[in-house]
Amino acid sequence: MSYFAHLPDRAVIAVSGADRVKFLQGLVSNDVAEARDGRAVWAALLTPQGRWKADFFMVADPDGEQLLLDCPASQVEMVITTLKRFRLRSDVSLVPASFAVHAAWGALPDAATVENAIVFADPRLPEAGWRLLLPDVAQRADADAAAYDLHRLTLGLPDGPRDCEADKTLLLEANFDLLNGVSWTKGCYMGQELTARTRYRGLVKRRLVPFASVAPSLTPGAPVMAGGVEVGQVRSSRDHCGLAMVRPAAVLAAGETPMTVEGHTITPRAPEWLREALRAGQEPEASKGNEVGS
């Protein structure tokens, strides 16, 4: 089946000017040069200390004269203001753009529905589907934003400030390394040092993990408990599904020591792409001093 939904909480920033690629290349976590020929790149903007600040999809417009950033509408002003601080003499312009962001999954909608749309595959997972930037809100839809939210929760995909904490979350904690959100080869960018150190020298103390819950929804920030000990915190949730930032050891031991949130049992549903990273978090006590914390 094809599912198609308008995402009213998303907006677009247009980045133009001769220096746009070089400018963004030094500021975000992924390779901006790869955003071409209809291919999108998912990237994060970090603090100088290497903590998450924002994330967005980057795609070139059909004329190749702009980069379009698909980001949470609540962060548009902050992202523009932050990026402008580093513009200096670069030939770069950043302005809000008039696009309505849509998502499709299962299969692409018919050609009539996506006429005049900028369409690109979600670069995080093949199962995630596609993003569509339309001049206006589509008149036809097979689903709504709530249905898309449930779709991305079951896949374990983070949703910006709902799942990441500004000035605190590390990229590897939010699985950017596993979801094609980091380039390890493109060179320096703001916050790169801590991100690289987390990968090469440290152990990630916690990971964003999807879960199933007996409760329809849970309070964001509520503690995740296991054996009377707090092992993480809930992020976003809906319709008995959610994401929580949890210690890997607690996820792997959930069969023996169940997890609860606000008195409700939750069951981790780590997808295959995440399991190896969780197992890698299981190091002997002697190695705990090498962990990179938050």
PDB file of all heavy atoms in Angstrom, residues 243-257:
ATOM      1  N   LEU A 243      10.173   5.793  21.626  1.00  0.00           N
ATOM      2  CA  LEU A 243      11.631   5.769  21.650  1.00  0.00           C
ATOM      3  C   LEU A 243      12.095   6.180  23.035  1.00  0.00           C
ATOM      4  O   LEU A 243      11.516   7.077  23.650  1.00  0.00           O
ATOM      5  CB  LEU A 243      12.214   6.728  20.613  1.00  0.00           C
ATOM      6  CG  LEU A 243      12.011   6.386  19.132  1.00  0.00           C
ATOM      7  CD1 LEU A 243      12.530   7.526  18.255  1.00  0.00           C
ATOM      8  CD2 LEU A 243      12.718   5.097  18.783  1.00  0.00           C
ATOM      9  N   ALA A 244      13.129   5.522  23.502  1.00  0.00           N
ATOM     10  CA  ALA A 244      13.712   5.862  24.806  1.00  0.00           C
ATOM     11  C   ALA A 244      15.221   5.847  24.687  1.00  0.00           C
ATOM     12  O   ALA A 244      15.796   5.030  23.950  1.00  0.00           O
ATOM     13  CB  ALA A 244      13.252   4.881  25.880  1.00  0.00           C
ATOM     14  N   MET A 245      15.877   6.753  25.399  1.00  0.00           N
ATOM     15  CA  MET A 245      17.327   6.776  25.473  1.00  0.00           C
ATOM     16  C   MET A 245      17.716   5.887  26.649  1.00  0.00           C
ATOM     17  O   MET A 245      17.467   6.225  27.805  1.00  0.00           O
ATOM     18  CB  MET A 245      17.820   8.212  25.679  1.00  0.00           C
ATOM     19  CG  MET A 245      19.286   8.389  25.419  1.00  0.00           C
ATOM     20  SD  MET A 245      19.773   8.238  23.675  1.00  0.00           S
ATOM     21  CE  MET A 245      19.299   9.840  23.023  1.00  0.00           C
ATOM     22  N   VAL A 246      18.311   4.727  26.344  1.00  0.00           N
ATOM     23  CA  VAL A 246      18.502   3.690  27.354  1.00  0.00           C
ATOM     24  C   VAL A 246      19.921   3.135  27.302  1.00  0.00           C
ATOM     25  O   VAL A 246      20.557   3.095  26.241  1.00  0.00           O
ATOM     26  CB  VAL A 246      17.500   2.528  27.128  1.00  0.00           C
ATOM     27  CG1 VAL A 246      17.530   1.557  28.293  1.00  0.00           C
ATOM     28  CG2 VAL A 246      16.088   3.050  26.933  1.00  0.00           C
ATOM     29  N   ARG A 247      20.395   2.673  28.452  1.00  0.00           N
ATOM     30  CA  ARG A 247      21.701   2.015  28.509  1.00  0.00           C
ATOM     31  C   ARG A 247      21.645   0.689  27.755  1.00  0.00           C
ATOM     32  O   ARG A 247      20.717  -0.097  27.939  1.00  0.00           O
ATOM     33  CB  ARG A 247      22.116   1.770  29.954  1.00  0.00           C
ATOM     34  CG  ARG A 247      22.540   3.043  30.682  1.00  0.00           C
ATOM     35  CD  ARG A 247      23.047   2.759  32.080  1.00  0.00           C
ATOM     36  NE  ARG A 247      23.644   3.942  32.656  1.00  0.00           N
ATOM     37  CZ  ARG A 247      24.919   4.300  32.514  1.00  0.00           C
ATOM     38  NH1 ARG A 247      25.733   3.536  31.792  1.00  0.00           N
ATOM     39  NH2 ARG A 247      25.383   5.402  33.071  1.00  0.00           N
ATOM     40  N   PRO A 248      22.632   0.398  26.910  1.00  0.00           N
ATOM     41  CA  PRO A 248      22.628  -0.845  26.140  1.00  0.00           C
ATOM     42  C   PRO A 248      22.488  -2.102  27.001  1.00  0.00           C
ATOM     43  O   PRO A 248      21.772  -3.029  26.636  1.00  0.00           O
ATOM     44  CB  PRO A 248      23.976  -0.817  25.414  1.00  0.00           C
ATOM     45  CG  PRO A 248      24.270   0.635  25.255  1.00  0.00           C
ATOM     46  CD  PRO A 248      23.763   1.275  26.516  1.00  0.00           C
ATOM     47  N   ALA A 249      23.167  -2.133  28.141  1.00  0.00           N
ATOM     48  CA  ALA A 249      23.105  -3.320  29.001  1.00  0.00           C
ATOM     49  C   ALA A 249      21.686  -3.604  29.447  1.00  0.00           C
ATOM     50  O   ALA A 249      21.256  -4.759  29.526  1.00  0.00           O
ATOM     51  CB  ALA A 249      24.014  -3.134  30.219  1.00  0.00           C
ATOM     52  N   ALA A 250      20.918  -2.551  29.721  1.00  0.00           N
ATOM     53  CA  ALA A 250      19.537  -2.726  30.179  1.00  0.00           C
ATOM     54  C   ALA A 250      18.658  -3.271  29.059  1.00  0.00           C
ATOM     55  O   ALA A 250      17.761  -4.082  29.294  1.00  0.00           O
ATOM     56  CB  ALA A 250      18.987  -1.405  30.687  1.00  0.00           C
ATOM     57  N   VAL A 251      18.926  -2.830  27.830  1.00  0.00           N
ATOM     58  CA  VAL A 251      18.145  -3.324  26.689  1.00  0.00           C
ATOM     59  C   VAL A 251      18.397  -4.812  26.490  1.00  0.00           C
ATOM     60  O   VAL A 251      17.465  -5.608  26.317  1.00  0.00           O
ATOM     61  CB  VAL A 251      18.502  -2.547  25.408  1.00  0.00           C
ATOM     62  CG1 VAL A 251      17.766  -3.122  24.205  1.00  0.00           C
ATOM     63  CG2 VAL A 251      18.178  -1.072  25.578  1.00  0.00           C
ATOM     64  N   LEU A 252      19.655  -5.209  26.531  1.00  0.00           N
ATOM     65  CA  LEU A 252      20.004  -6.604  26.293  1.00  0.00           C
ATOM     66  C   LEU A 252      19.565  -7.522  27.431  1.00  0.00           C
ATOM     67  O   LEU A 252      19.384  -8.725  27.221  1.00  0.00           O
ATOM     68  CB  LEU A 252      21.513  -6.721  26.076  1.00  0.00           C
ATOM     69  CG  LEU A 252      22.040  -5.979  24.841  1.00  0.00           C
ATOM     70  CD1 LEU A 252      23.555  -6.015  24.794  1.00  0.00           C
ATOM     71  CD2 LEU A 252      21.462  -6.574  23.564  1.00  0.00           C
ATOM     72  N   ALA A 253      19.380  -6.957  28.610  1.00  0.00           N
ATOM     73  CA  ALA A 253      18.963  -7.754  29.775  1.00  0.00           C
ATOM     74  C   ALA A 253      17.469  -7.666  30.033  1.00  0.00           C
ATOM     75  O   ALA A 253      16.981  -8.174  31.043  1.00  0.00           O
ATOM     76  CB  ALA A 253      19.735  -7.301  31.018  1.00  0.00           C
ATOM     77  N   ALA A 254      16.723  -7.019  29.125  1.00  0.00           N
ATOM     78  CA  ALA A 254      15.300  -6.771  29.371  1.00  0.00           C
ATOM     79  C   ALA A 254      14.492  -8.049  29.530  1.00  0.00           C
ATOM     80  O   ALA A 254      13.454  -8.069  30.197  1.00  0.00           O
ATOM     81  CB  ALA A 254      14.719  -5.917  28.254  1.00  0.00           C
ATOM     82  N   GLY A 255      14.952  -9.160  28.931  1.00  0.00           N
ATOM     83  CA  GLY A 255      14.230 -10.419  29.072  1.00  0.00           C
ATOM     84  C   GLY A 255      14.256 -10.939  30.497  1.00  0.00           C
ATOM     85  O   GLY A 255      13.319 -11.610  30.944  1.00  0.00           O
ATOM     86  N   GLU A 256      15.336 -10.631  31.219  1.00  0.00           N
ATOM     87  CA  GLU A 256      15.479 -11.085  32.603  1.00  0.00           C
ATOM     88  C   GLU A 256      15.057 -10.011  33.595  1.00  0.00           C
ATOM     89  O   GLU A 256      14.533 -10.316  34.673  1.00  0.00           O
ATOM     90  CB  GLU A 256      16.935 -11.485  32.866  1.00  0.00           C
ATOM     91  CG  GLU A 256      17.420 -12.622  31.978  1.00  0.00           C
ATOM     92  CD  GLU A 256      18.886 -12.920  32.205  1.00  0.00           C
ATOM     93  OE1 GLU A 256      19.498 -12.286  33.089  1.00  0.00           O
ATOM     94  OE2 GLU A 256      19.429 -13.791  31.488  1.00  0.00           O
ATOM     95  N   THR A 257      15.310  -8.768  33.253  1.00  0.00           N
ATOM     96  CA  THR A 257      14.940  -7.646  34.127  1.00  0.00           C
ATOM     97  C   THR A 257      14.048  -6.700  33.337  1.00  0.00           C
ATOM     98  O   THR A 257      14.536  -5.830  32.621  1.00  0.00           O
ATOM     99  CB  THR A 257      16.196  -6.895  34.622  1.00  0.00           C
ATOM    100  OG1 THR A 257      17.127  -7.829  35.180  1.00  0.00           O
ATOM    101  CG2 THR A 257      15.829  -5.865  35.671  1.00  0.00           C
TER     102      THR A 257
END
